[in-house]
Amino acid sequence: MAEPSITIRDNGPYVVTMPVEILDAKGNPLTITRERITLCRCGASNNKPFCDGTHNKINFESQVSA
Ligand code: FES
């Protein structure tokens, strides 16, 4: 199993490699069965908190460097 990590994708989502516990606003854990997920960073997904590819349609631009 891979080590947990979060990668910021240029002009796209956060790529999360499990296992990472993700909680909703009330502290309830989201049920995630996949080894890797993408979280919306543009704010336009229709499936928040997950990325649904809408960032491509709205030409979301953001490049973050460490
Ligand atoms: S980052 Fe992909 S829909 Fe928002």
Side-chain angles (χ1 to χ4, degrees):
M1 180 177 284
E3 291 290 316
S5 66
I6 300 174
T7 303
I8 305 168
R9 188 174 286 171
D10 282 350
N11 308 319
Y14 298 108
V15 179
V16 182
T17 303
M18 298 296 159
V20 173
E21 186 173 42
I22 300 177
L23 308 174
D24 69 13
K26 295 180 179 174
N28 301 309
L30 276 75
T31 302
I32 298 172
T33 57
R34 300 169 60 181
E35 291 185 13
R36 197 179 99 162
I37 63 166
T38 54
L39 295 177
C40 179
R41 192 161 70 93
C42 73
S45 173
N46 293 306
N47 190 31
K48 293 182 186 80
F50 304 104
C51 170
D52 68 355
T54 300
H55 60 270
N56 287 319
K57 295 176 189 164
I58 65 169
N59 296 317
F60 175 66
E61 291 185 11
S62 175
Q63 297 183 1
V64 178
S65 335

